[in-house]
Amino acid sequence: QVQLVESGGGLVQAGGSLRLSCAASGRTFSITRGWFRQAPGKEREFLATIRRSDDNTYYADSVKGRFTISRDNDKNTVYLQMNSLKPEDTAVYYCAAATQLYGGVTYYTLSRQYDYWGQGTQVTVSS
């Protein structure tokens, strides 16, 4: 079992920044860690992922150039630095961990590829 706890959400004005953290405990091994978000009435959306093997990252087009995913292996923590925030970034943000190996998949971008999820943290961007 992996327990994931997000923190760092809150209210920010458009153009501002926030840094989300996702601390893992328990069985902390994972192949990749990712961030998703879900706005009211919308499906969960992939944002970013970082691979354990080489720290390579991959981003959704909607956040590329504005968001940065990183990890601190000593702390078993993954971060999402969010800059130039827009009102449309308002959502509940979730971190996730994948422990299953999917052959032929370079980056995990689908919710079903992740086994463990945090409880979510609200991010609200005011205009």
Side-chain angles (χ1 to χ4, degrees), residues 27-70:
R27 179 176 173 263
T28 58
F29 172 80
S30 62
I31 293 172
T32 192
R33 299 275 291 275
W35 285 96
F36 291 74
R37 68 185 178 191
Q38 188 165 20
K42 294 187 177 181
E43 293 186 353
R44 191 164 294 189
E45 175 191 11
F46 164 79
L47 299 177
T49 186
I50 184 166
R51 296 195 307 208
R52 182 186 181 92
S53 60
D54 54 16
D55 279 351
N56 277 1
T57 59
Y58 182 79
Y59 297 90
D61 288 343
S62 59
V63 303
K64 194 177 299 181
R66 299 190 299 125
F67 290 10
T68 302
I69 188 171
S70 61

Side-chain angles (χ1 to χ4, degrees), residues 15-115:
S17 299
L18 282 175
R19 189 178 81 155
L20 305 183
S21 300
C22 175
S25 61
R27 179 176 173 263
T28 58
F29 172 80
S30 62
I31 293 172
T32 192
R33 299 275 291 275
W35 285 96
F36 291 74
R37 68 185 178 191
Q38 188 165 20
K42 294 187 177 181
E43 293 186 353
R44 191 164 294 189
E45 175 191 11
F46 164 79
L47 299 177
T49 186
I50 184 166
R51 296 195 307 208
R52 182 186 181 92
S53 60
D54 54 16
D55 279 351
N56 277 1
T57 59
Y58 182 79
Y59 297 90
D61 288 343
S62 59
V63 303
K64 194 177 299 181
R66 299 190 299 125
F67 290 10
T68 302
I69 188 171
S70 61
R71 63 189 299 154
D72 182 331
N73 290 330
D74 291 339
K75 296 181 180 179
N76 291 318
T77 298
V78 173
Y79 304 96
L80 186 68
Q81 177 67 42
M82 306 186 296
N83 299 328
S84 302
L85 283 162
K86 306 174 184 179
E88 51 263 44
D89 293 319
T90 296
V92 178
Y93 284 67
Y94 298 91
C95 69
T99 61
Q100 303 298 317
L101 181 63
Y102 292 91
V105 177
T106 304
Y107 294 105
Y108 290 16
T109 63
L110 304 175
S111 297
R112 60 178 172 82
Q113 293 169 322
Y114 291 82
D115 311 286

